[in-house]
Amino acid sequence: MSHTYKPEQIELEAQRYWEQKRCFNVTEDDSKEKYYCLSMFPYPSGQLHMGHVRNYSIGDVLSRYMRMQGKNVMQPMGWDAFGLPAENAAMKHQVAPAKWTRENINYMREQLKRLGFGYDWDREVTTCDADYYRWEQWLFTRLYKKGVVYKKNAVVNWDPVDQTVLANEQVIDGRGWRSGALVERKEIPQWFLKITDYAEELLQGLDQLDGWPEQVRTMQKNWIGRSEGAEITFQIAESSEKLKVFTTRPDTLMGVTYVAVAAEHPLSLAMAENNPALQQFIAEAKVMSTAEADMETMEKKGMDIGLKAIHPISGEQVPVYTANFVLMGYGEGAVMSVPAHDQRDFEFAGKYGLDIKQVIAPADGADHVDVDNVDVEKVDVENVDVEKVNVEKVDLDEKAFTGKGVLVNSAQFDGLTSLQAQSEIPQALEKIGRGNKRIQYRLRDWGVSRQRYWGAPIPIINCPQCGAVAVPETDLPVKLPEDVIITGEGSPLKNMPEFYQCQCPECGADAERETDTFDTFMESSWYYARYCSPGCDSAMLDDRAKYWAPVDQYVGGIEHAILHLLYARFYHRLMRDEGLISGDEPFKNLLTQGMVLKDGAKMSKSKGNTVDPQGIIDQYGADTARLFMMYAAPPEQSLEWSDSGVEGQYKFLKRLWKTVTAHIDSLRSEGDANVVLDAAALDKDGKKLRHKLHQTISSVNDDIGRRHTFNTAIAKVRELLNMMEKMSHSLQQSEQGRALRHNVLESVLLMLSPIVPHITHQLWLDMGNDTAIVNELWPQVDASALLEDTIQYVLQVNGKLRDKIEVAADADKQSIEKLALEAEGVMRNISGKSVRKVIVVPNKLVNIVAN
RNA sequence: GCCGCUGUGGUGAAAUUGGUAGACACGCUGGUUUUAGGUACCAGUAUCUCACGAUGUCCCAGUUCGAGUCUGGGCAGCGGCACCA
């Protein structure tokens, strides 16, 4: 036993112990409650960053804590190994993505081990291994046969100079990051998964996810975006063509003054043939990123294409515009426009001098209608007095009136409320075959094709005769060739006939393999399930997955709140429908961890504000790094990095070491190895300390297990140690005092062991235990130690703190009131006033209202 | 632009169910030990005020005996927006 804290030595020793004893390698065991704790696996970028350390510290603390609750805990780790950065590194360093990625994995695995995370490494998953992605390919071919997968044209960012498809991230201010060329929108055929078929189920499922943060559920709900509306068909006056639109506001149909189509809409393209100005407009609309944020903030532009659309009810002819904000890929690629009641349409109409026709009047029935403050939700559209609707009160000079109300200027629909009109207008349309009610989701099908090399090959063969044919199960996996050179100009697979040349599995004719690869979200959508079936080479999953599913606790960054988590929920259902896994949801509880910041900004290489965890580990050890991460902020909040904060945690561990070793020395010199703590024999201080101990155990248990506020858990342990420190002299005097100190220190080590497992491992042994702390259970609370004789009451006069009193725990309300009114601070503040009311909050405070 | 979150001392934060604002730390100031620096230990530390006391949780209104916490409206920062992972 050393008298100075030497983290490196004890940490490596503890880690060796866990590995040799296989402490974290688990199997299915029906005699214990299972607990599957999962942290989002990292992209192997080269080194761990602080965000990883934080994420995995949280997961590890929860895992170790649950072990101490006697559960069968499984905590796996793996690598989200496909992705764009490997291709960038390949270009920069002239190294194949596979080699670069695998070297990174080997380095980062050692870093994780050095941090002491309790993973079952036998379950490690690496998504770029064919053993993994073959099952993803297999599922895709099954889904293709089932019709869940289909191919359609979709828009990508096209770099005309590098002749390559760019990710949104690679488009900077509308230009390609390498070439600087203006990026164009280009339509190419791509594969899609019909997530929209599951939209309703994914929406409904959110209600059951009460272990998820409310904000994440709200975000997903908004993302799925269920809306009820109508599909409406407009006839083109000049031809037999029809134009279909979807609207959430069919009640405003009579206010349509134009319709707008996407630049790439067939009508727009057809009219452009003899219209150079329109050609020019379409060409300009093409130069633009595909990111939604860019489209929403760009200048809204349009142009009359020279056609008229016939209003399905009024028969009126309205102009057809093409507009850069209408997207071919969304809905029908066309929208009906009601400038009076839609803000975007209003602005567009103002810009191009289009008619604005009011058809909705505010329906609050009041004499004065303050348009700015009409709250759609609060207007009682059912019981409106139509006589009182005042059309003139709506000021449409400044902005649109987007609220609901009563229909005006709407011919036979006049006087209907918006709500009534939303069913009656679609009904009227249905009778004449011009439309119907429809439920629309904002959610779009999941495009999974990527025109990139470093991803799982899409298992499809394109045959000139048979079309797209799934690769037969016996031919899987379609292995990605790993020995390649990346140039940045398209995928190398396109230049590898040995990869793409093949025969059609159906007719045997010469055919070509898909050279596109899967979106990396495909791999991250089911890795949690594969961890349950390590080594299974005959199927995607086996029955072990049914034992472990669902994940009991998922921990990861808030930035994944929508995409990754929604895709995984979808994928889980796909696997469920194949009979591969049980349950509807993959993640029972979700903890979304905040970011690690430095100087108020997210740590990133481009900002140059990163702190390498390795340096912290080398200087202070893993326990200090973990302790700082858990102490600096609650897990869901962002965490501000602080060098001096780290130093402070190191200081605490040094102090803990010193306190325990001093105690052990005393144990030896006093010869009280076998003294048993007798709670009844303690003096006043001793009883107070023991009370604090059990209060702390109970409270820390709640903080870690239920609230996940590790920062307050640590603070409470420190409070306990501070109190013990203050009593150190009196504790040292008696045998029972030293026994109590022994008891407190053992409990402290147990409570801290999930957070700082190495130092507690060593000190636990040094204190004379012959078991490892990793196998110990959480300390028991003695309820009798929590009882108190008196309770402190806070006394307020008119809500202001004036005094405090100690009251017997069993005092009744009347005697508490009496004591309160007699208290000096209260008397001083109520003199000359009469007491109007006395409020007694049990076990807390008394508020005296006086004036 | 749309969706979601956050806002408390010099700093990170705490206040769990509407009930003592600032626990626990970092930093700073002073002291003890030390030749010195560092370490360790002790004391102080929201603001104003000599003090009594008053004020104080981004801003403005409201509900309440009582609001950091609830409601309405604003401002600022952050995350996501479908090809970064």
Side-chain angles (χ1 to χ4, degrees):
Chain A
M1 188 184 75
S2 161
H3 280 78
T4 47
Y5 173 44
K6 290 174 188 147
E8 189 175 353
Q9 194 184 317
I10 64 160
E11 289 182 357
L12 292 175
E13 227 164 276
Q15 286 158 15
R16 206 172 307 130
Y17 178 89
W18 299 327
E19 193 160 346
Q20 277 170 7
K21 301 278 181 187
R22 294 178 57 80
C23 290
F24 304 109
N25 299 86
V26 288
T27 51
E28 301 69 42
D29 176 355
D30 287 320
S31 70
K32 284 187 192 169
E33 193 182 336
K34 69 99 185 172
Y35 188 83
Y36 180 2
C37 184
L38 178 67
S39 291
M40 289 181 184
F41 63 169
Y43 176 78
S45 57
Q47 313 85 29
L48 289 184
H49 56 67
M50 285 299 175
H52 294 132
V53 178
R54 189 179 193 197
N55 193 161
Y56 304 149
S57 294
I58 294 166
D60 198 44
V61 171
L62 290 171
S63 295
R64 288 172 181 267
Y65 169 82
M66 287 301 171
R67 272 177 71 95
M68 295 181 83
Q69 305 295 324
K71 296 188 182 171
N72 188 29
V73 175
M74 194 258 278
Q75 191 185 204
M77 187 38 75
W79 310 97
D80 190 13
F82 277 134
L84 205 47
E87 296 193 20
N88 297 333
M91 277 184 270
K92 200 172 162 192
H93 302 119
Q94 303 300 310
V95 55
K99 185 167 185 279
W100 182 83
T101 302
R102 293 211 165 84
E103 281 171 5
N104 289 346
I105 289 172
N106 288 334
Y107 181 75
M108 290 168 76
R109 189 189 298 110
E110 289 313 304
Q111 286 192 304
L112 290 175
K113 288 184 176 174
R114 185 60 192 82
L115 280 158
F117 300 133
Y119 298 132
D120 180 352
W121 284 105
D122 293 350
R123 297 172 182 271
E124 185 176 1
V125 151
T126 304
T127 61
C128 64
D129 287 350
D131 287 349
Y132 181 79
Y133 64 70
R134 66 174 297 183
W135 298 112
E136 194 173 303
Q137 293 176 332
W138 170 82
L139 184 67
F140 184 83
T141 61
R142 300 274 303 178
L143 296 173
Y144 184 40
K145 284 163 197 157
K146 272 179 152 180
V148 181
V149 154
Y150 69 102
K151 199 176 195 178
K152 71 168 180 186
N153 280 351
V155 189
V156 293
N157 298 309
W158 179 251
D159 185 325
V161 171
D162 275 352
Q163 290 285 300
T164 190
V165 175
L166 298 178
N168 283 335
E169 189 191 50
Q170 298 171 313
V171 180
I172 296 152
D173 295 328
R175 291 173 183 276
W177 66 337
R178 283 158 53 80
S179 68
L182 281 171
V183 169
E184 293 175 5
R185 303 162 59 81
K186 187 181 172 185
E187 273 204 5
I188 56 170
Q190 306 197 60
W191 288 97
F192 284 81
L193 261 58
K194 279 190 189 165
I195 190 171
T196 51
D197 278 2
Y198 288 77
E200 193 59 40
E201 200 195 329
L202 289 167
L203 185 65
Q204 298 295 327
L206 291 171
D207 293 337
Q208 268 71 61
L209 288 174
D210 49 15
W212 281 38
E214 191 59 47
Q215 52 154 315
V216 175
R217 290 199 274 169
T218 306
M219 280 192 263
Q220 292 216 347
K221 190 177 172 219
N222 292 338
W223 185 262
I224 294 167
R226 182 186 203 272
S227 59
E228 290 179 18
E231 188 179 276
I232 300 170
T233 306
F234 286 73
Q235 176 69 50
I236 297 298
E238 290 84 350
S239 69
S240 61
E241 284 183 271
K242 289 186 169 73
L243 195 54
K244 211 192 253 181
V245 302
F246 174 82
T247 178
T248 55
R249 290 294 303 270
D251 54 317
T252 65
L253 176 63
M254 300 311 286
V256 170
T257 57
Y258 65 96
V259 292
V261 300
E264 304 99 322
H265 194 279
L267 285 176
S268 164
L269 294 177
M271 294 306 286
E273 275 175 28
N274 301 311
N275 184 343
L278 187 54
Q279 275 170 29
Q280 175 73 18
F281 181 88
I282 293 168
E284 277 170 23
K286 251 188 173 172
V287 181
M288 145 98 225
S289 115
T290 59
E292 188 175 296
D294 294 335
M295 287 185 289
E296 291 286 333
T297 49
M298 72 183 173
E299 194 192 347
K300 312 283 187 291
K301 286 185 201 166
M303 189 178 192
D304 192 334
I305 67 169
L307 289 176
K308 299 281 184 234
I310 300 170
H311 193 287
I313 302 283
S314 69
E316 217 175 304
Q317 296 200 356
V318 297
V320 179
Y321 270 67
T322 182
N324 60 355
F325 56 84
V326 181
L327 298 171
M328 203 50 225
Y330 298 179
E332 311 293 340
V335 294
M336 69 176 216
S337 298
V338 186
H341 305 293
D342 179 276
Q343 189 56 25
R344 190 174 65 184
D345 295 347
F346 179 88
E347 283 162 23
F348 192 87
K351 193 166 177 175
Y352 295 103
L354 292 155
D355 290 345
I356 297 174
K357 182 184 170 196
Q358 186 191 349
V359 291
I360 305 289
D364 59 357
D367 290 341
H368 173 72
V369 177
D370 181 358
V371 175
D372 288 339
N373 293 315
V374 169
D375 186 334
V376 185
E377 300 305 321
K378 287 184 183 161
V379 170
D380 184 0
V381 288
E382 281 306 281
N383 300 306
V384 66
D385 182 352
V386 177
E387 293 302 307
K388 283 191 182 167
V389 168
N390 192 336
V391 183
E392 279 74 45
K393 292 292 182 187
V394 177
D395 177 6
L396 289 170
D397 288 344
E398 295 295 322
K399 59 188 221 184
F401 169 63
T402 56
K404 289 179 186 170
V406 173
L407 274 68
V408 293
N409 302 328
S410 295
Q412 67 264 45
F413 305 112
D414 276 354
L416 292 178
T417 65
S418 286
L419 208 65
Q420 290 164 341
Q422 284 179 346
S423 26
E424 290 201 17
I425 290 183
Q427 274 168 28
L429 289 167
E430 197 158 5
K431 274 182 203 146
I432 56 170
R434 287 301 173 85
N436 48 270
K437 257 193 151 172
R438 199 174 99 188
I439 291 166
Q440 174 78 13
Y441 298 91
R442 206 187 76 96
L443 181 70
R444 312 197 300 259
D445 277 337
W446 178 11
V448 295
S449 297
R450 295 293 179 270
Q451 296 70 45
R452 279 185 235 303
Y453 158 73
W454 189 233
I458 296 180
I460 292 287
I461 290 166
N462 294 308
C463 169
Q465 269 81 47
C466 313
V469 179
V471 174
E473 195 175 334
T474 47
D475 292 350
L476 293 175
V478 178
K479 279 195 182 171
L480 182 71
E482 295 196 348
D483 194 16
V484 297
I485 292 161
I486 307 285
T487 61
E489 288 162 22
S491 165
L493 297 179
K494 295 220 183 267
N495 302 319
M496 298 176 82
E498 66 274 30
F499 175 75
Y500 64 74
Q501 278 180 359
C502 60
Q503 274 72 48
C504 172
E506 279 179 10
C507 70
D510 281 349
E512 286 196 1
R513 207 178 276 293
E514 279 274 346
T515 52
D516 281 0
T517 53
F518 280 135
D519 176 8
T520 56
F521 277 125
M522 285 283 272
E523 286 90 59
S524 56
S525 292
W526 69 285
Y527 75 111
Y528 66 90
R530 183 66 189 180
Y531 280 139
C532 304
S533 300
C536 175
D537 59 6
S538 57
M540 190 171 193
L541 301 171
D542 55 29
D543 280 350
R544 291 175 291 174
K546 289 174 184 158
Y547 170 86
W548 290 109
V551 171
D552 292 281
Q553 181 67 61
Y554 197 25
V555 185
I558 182 70
E559 65 273 22
H560 296 291
I562 296 175
L563 291 179
H564 162 61
L565 289 168
L566 189 65
Y567 290 143
R569 293 181 61 223
F570 168 51
Y571 224 94
H572 190 89
R573 287 164 168 82
L574 295 177
M575 293 190 292
R576 174 201 65 190
D577 293 349
E578 283 288 328
L580 293 163
I581 203 156
S582 51
D584 296 333
E585 292 287 345
F587 313 121
K588 191 162 184 270
N589 296 291
L590 173 69
L591 193 158
T592 49
Q593 140 230 349
M595 290 177 310
V596 180
L597 311 177
K598 184 154 188 285
D599 310 319
K602 183 177 179 171
M603 277 193 187
S604 73
K605 276 184 192 161
S606 56
K607 289 192 197 98
N609 62 347
T610 55
V611 177
D612 185 0
Q614 197 59 46
I616 303 299
I617 297 167
D618 293 345
Q619 195 177 352
Y620 302 104
D623 280 339
T624 297
R626 296 169 58 123
L627 183 60
F628 174 73
M629 285 294 168
M630 304 311 286
Y631 184 65
E636 309 218 304
Q637 271 178 43
S638 58
L639 181 153
E640 176 71 31
W641 180 262
S642 151
D643 290 325
S644 55
V646 175
E647 183 79 43
Q649 302 320 305
Y650 183 57
K651 231 162 77 180
F652 171 72
L653 293 180
K654 277 197 289 188
R655 216 184 90 197
L656 179 68
W657 185 270
K658 216 171 89 177
T659 307
V660 176
T661 49
H663 169 74
I664 296 163
D665 285 347
S666 143
L667 210 72
R668 284 188 191 148
S669 60
E670 303 289 342
D672 40 26
N674 297 316
V675 177
V676 177
L677 179 65
D678 176 10
L682 291 170
D683 61 10
K684 199 177 161 226
D685 267 6
K687 285 207 169 81
K688 211 172 120 190
L689 180 59
R690 190 161 177 273
H691 174 257
K692 179 80 173 176
L693 168 65
H694 287 273
Q695 203 180 42
T696 304
I697 294 171
S698 154
S699 175
V700 168
N701 185 43
D702 189 50
D703 280 356
I704 298 181
R706 181 183 62 87
R707 297 177 66 212
H708 302 154
T709 51
F710 312 105
N711 55 330
T712 54
I714 296 162
K716 283 163 189 169
V717 173
R718 293 179 79 139
E719 269 187 71
L720 173 65
L721 283 170
N722 287 349
M723 182 189 249
M724 194 182 80
E725 203 82 347
K726 284 215 173 76
M727 294 178 181
S728 60
H729 185 74
S730 72
L731 290 173
Q732 180 62 33
Q733 299 311 305
S734 70
E735 203 177 67
Q736 277 301 314
R738 297 191 297 270
L740 175 61
R741 188 173 62 196
H742 194 82
N743 183 220
V744 170
L745 287 175
E746 281 201 340
S747 302
V748 164
L749 292 181
L750 288 168
M751 287 188 280
L752 291 178
S753 68
I755 300 167
V756 285
H758 309 91
I759 187 173
T760 50
H761 172 84
Q762 186 60 51
L763 291 175
W764 182 258
L765 296 174
D766 291 347
M767 280 185 80
N769 292 291
D770 46 18
T771 56
I773 200 167
V774 71
N775 295 321
E776 290 296 316
L777 292 179
W778 190 258
Q780 289 288 315
V781 176
D782 178 357
S784 68
L786 295 176
L787 296 173
E788 274 183 299
D789 300 339
T790 62
I791 290 164
Q792 189 190 63
Y793 273 78
V794 166
L795 306 182
Q796 296 181 332
V797 175
N798 293 330
K800 284 195 166 64
L801 173 70
R802 295 303 179 190
D803 211 337
K804 292 172 190 177
I805 48 169
E806 286 290 327
V807 178
D810 54 0
D812 60 11
K813 204 179 159 201
Q814 279 82 4
S815 52
I816 294 167
E817 267 186 41
K818 187 162 171 284
L819 285 168
L821 289 164
E822 285 165 358
E824 197 198 331
V826 171
M827 301 227 289
R828 202 177 338 122
N829 284 280
I830 58 172
S831 67
K833 295 174 186 167
S834 53
V835 174
R836 301 283 173 202
K837 203 171 175 185
V838 179
I839 292 148
V840 179
V841 181
N843 301 326
K844 278 226 170 82
L845 63 66
V846 180
N847 187 18
I848 294 146
V849 186
N851 59 12

